[in-house]
Amino acid sequence: MFRKTRLFTPGPTPLLPAAQFAMAAADLHHRTAEFRALYTKVLAQLKEFVGTRNDVLLLSSSGTGAMEAAVSNLTSPGDPVLVLTAGKFGERWTAITKAFGCNVEVLNAPYGETFDLATIKAALKPEHKAVYVQATETSTATRHDIRGIAEALKAANSQALLVVDAITGLGTTHFDVDAWGIDVLIGGSQKAVMIPPGLAYLSVSDRAWAAMETSKNPRYYFDLRKERKSAKLGESAYTPSVSLIAGLGAALDYIAGQANGDLAEGRISLIENAETCAAMTRAGLVALGFTLFAPTAPAAAATAVSVPEGLDSGAVVKELKSRFGAVIANGQGEMKGKIFRIAHLGFFDYMDTIALLGALELIARDTLKLPVQFGQGVAAAQQVFATRKPKQAYEETFAVTV
Ligand SMILES: *Cc1c(COP(=O)(O)O)cnc(C)c1O
């Protein structure tokens, strides 16, 4: 059979054709009126996409560059900070804060689980300058309750800045950045915004700007104050990834186009899309006899699935690629061989989801020797699709009082 390559990885994700055309056509110099018009438009769109009145800055780096900026700009050597970690990306916060000399306290949740809010509240100390956490821990496909964590900070009277790596959270999770008091929220280009890796973006609150005036850690390329000054003039401090910025503009136009030009509504529909694909995938896989790795707090960004004891998840990854051209992700670190991960963030739809489940039925039967009835996983997914409400996740996020 012919194979079409399809990415189902939680970064990079499939590229939006309209963004690819815009990138190919972006032959412009970055110190011109044309670029300033593009940059100003994209920065304004990003604010709408993030859903905040705070400044939103763009950096030409992968997501980790913005994570580093959120440490180097906000802290001084010796500052006590709290890192909440439940996976590989949480561990990255620990590594970065340590690299910049912070006095790091770490609160762990087991892989595949999220934090207990009362434990976070008890761990907060008045001297903590910042709390670092993921919105969705991509390595385990677990969602953390950012609203609950923000409330815990308030309840503990904490003055700590709340810094959220939402690199796979944006476009898959509803946030109210300003109302909840998220000081820094970080996104990356190769995730829900459907363009290649190479851009990071972040919203920065007034409290975070104020902290930068006294923080003493070294910074140069990622000096956010310098970026803000340039952004006000429609430029970036250094040569930006011009083509990616053009692609990002096209992608944000496309997201707005899904809701008659309203980008805030388009963001809601992008999130609901990921939620729907995720719910379909979970139901389909459970119906096939798989065990979800993060059943209590599953992310919509991706789904992590355990393979039965004694089997290798790498076999599923390999077979999907060789038989069907579909690329999924293995577990990272010690989870390698134990789980596989399927992405839902960005340019995925009902068709993709059903097709992947159909392929997984064959692999579950032929490779893992599970007792599969064809159609079993697909039918469970269709059932979910048929009963899902249009703004279900949005209502679930904002209806609950904490
Ligand atoms: C992809 C990802 C990152 C960023 O990694 P880069 O390789 O630097 O782009 C950070 N955090 C999470 C949760 C991610 O999924």
Side-chain angles (χ1 to χ4, degrees):
M1 242 197 148
F2 275 41
R3 274 156 300 175
K4 283 169 77 167
T5 300
R6 290 179 174 86
L7 289 185
F8 285 92
T9 44
T13 63
L15 301 178
L16 179 76
Q20 291 179 280
F21 295 131
M23 287 188 285
D27 186 13
L28 44 138
H29 191 277
H30 59 288
R31 304 293 180 210
T32 59
E34 289 82 356
F35 180 77
R36 283 191 288 273
L38 170 70
Y39 201 56
T40 306
K41 166 192 174 268
V42 171
L43 287 177
Q45 283 180 307
L46 273 178
K47 269 175 87 127
E48 195 76 20
F49 181 68
V50 173
T52 181
R53 284 187 298 278
N54 291 337
D55 293 289
V56 176
L57 301 176
L58 253 179
L59 301 171
S60 289
S61 74
S62 81
T64 307
M67 293 173 74
E68 174 165 326
V71 176
S72 65
N73 283 265
L74 299 178
T75 66
S76 305
D79 272 357
V81 301
L82 180 64
V83 170
L84 309 177
T85 169
K88 292 287 147 203
F89 290 101
E91 288 159 22
R92 190 169 296 179
W93 276 135
T94 308
I96 300 171
T97 49
K98 284 192 173 156
F100 281 89
C102 296
N103 178 4
V104 188
E105 279 173 49
V106 179
L107 180 66
N108 282 289
Y111 288 0
E113 292 177 27
T114 189
F115 311 100
D116 171 44
L117 293 178
T119 311
I120 294 177
K121 211 172 135 192
L124 284 165
K125 294 184 185 149
E127 59 269 28
H128 285 147
K129 288 274 166 56
V131 173
Y132 292 95
V133 67
Q134 271 63 41
T136 50
E137 172 52 71
T138 317
S139 67
T140 62
T142 301
R143 175 181 278 153
H144 299 318
D145 178 4
I146 297 303
R147 183 186 180 180
I149 293 168
E151 291 293 330
L153 260 75
K154 283 184 191 147
N157 256 324
S158 170
Q159 294 304 301
L161 296 166
L162 178 56
V163 180
V164 180
D165 163 5
I167 294 174
T168 53
L170 274 156
T172 67
T173 304
H174 295 289
F175 301 103
D176 192 337
V177 174
D178 301 349
W180 298 355
I182 301 172
D183 293 293
V184 175
L185 190 79
I186 301 170
S189 57
Q190 79 275 34
K191 310 283 177 142
V193 291
M194 308 173 277
I195 63 170
L199 288 179
Y201 53 99
L202 69 170
S203 72
V204 183
S205 73
D206 289 342
R207 290 176 70 227
W209 287 119
M212 280 178 227
E213 296 308 320
T214 55
S215 58
K216 294 196 172 52
N217 258 319
R219 66 207 92 138
Y220 187 83
Y221 186 70
F222 293 126
D223 188 334
L224 296 179
R225 293 167 302 176
K226 211 159 40 186
E227 253 344 301
R228 171 153 87 158
K229 215 181 260 174
S230 298
K232 286 208 165 106
L233 305 171
E235 295 191 1
S236 55
Y238 309 103
T239 311
S241 302
V242 174
S243 54
L244 287 172
I245 292 165
L248 180 56
L252 294 168
D253 287 345
Y254 176 85
I255 295 167
Q258 296 293 305
N260 301 314
D262 182 336
L263 185 50
E265 282 295 318
R267 178 223 314 143
I268 291 173
S269 97
L270 179 69
I271 295 168
E272 298 295 334
N273 181 70
E275 288 274 13
T276 302
C277 294
M280 289 171 68
T281 302
R282 289 194 299 269
L285 289 168
V286 168
L288 291 176
F290 287 100
T291 308
L292 300 177
F293 186 65
T296 53
T303 297
V305 189
S306 302
V307 290
E309 200 61 39
L311 296 175
D312 176 12
S313 65
V316 178
V317 178
K318 196 163 151 264
E319 287 294 297
L320 266 178
K321 176 85 190 328
S322 64
R323 287 182 73 185
F324 302 105
V327 184
I328 62 165
N330 203 323
Q332 291 168 258
E334 49 273 55
M335 291 168 280
K336 190 163 187 214
K338 301 203 171 93
I339 62 171
F340 61 86
R341 293 172 298 145
I342 299 165
H344 319 294
L345 73 174
F347 201 43
F348 294 107
D349 65 4
Y350 173 88
M351 299 292 211
D352 298 319
T353 308
I354 289 293
L356 186 69
L357 283 168
L360 277 165
E361 289 186 353
L362 281 156
I363 288 168
R365 187 191 71 155
D366 300 345
T367 308
L368 302 179
K369 313 289 180 207
L370 297 179
V372 166
Q373 289 279 340
F374 288 149
Q376 210 172 326
V378 168
Q382 286 172 311
Q383 194 58 39
V384 166
F385 183 83
T387 52
R388 210 157 159 96
K389 298 186 197 72
K391 279 198 187 180
Q392 191 166 319
Y394 184 84
E395 275 150 27
E396 282 163 6
T397 305
F398 294 103
V400 189
T401 44
V402 277

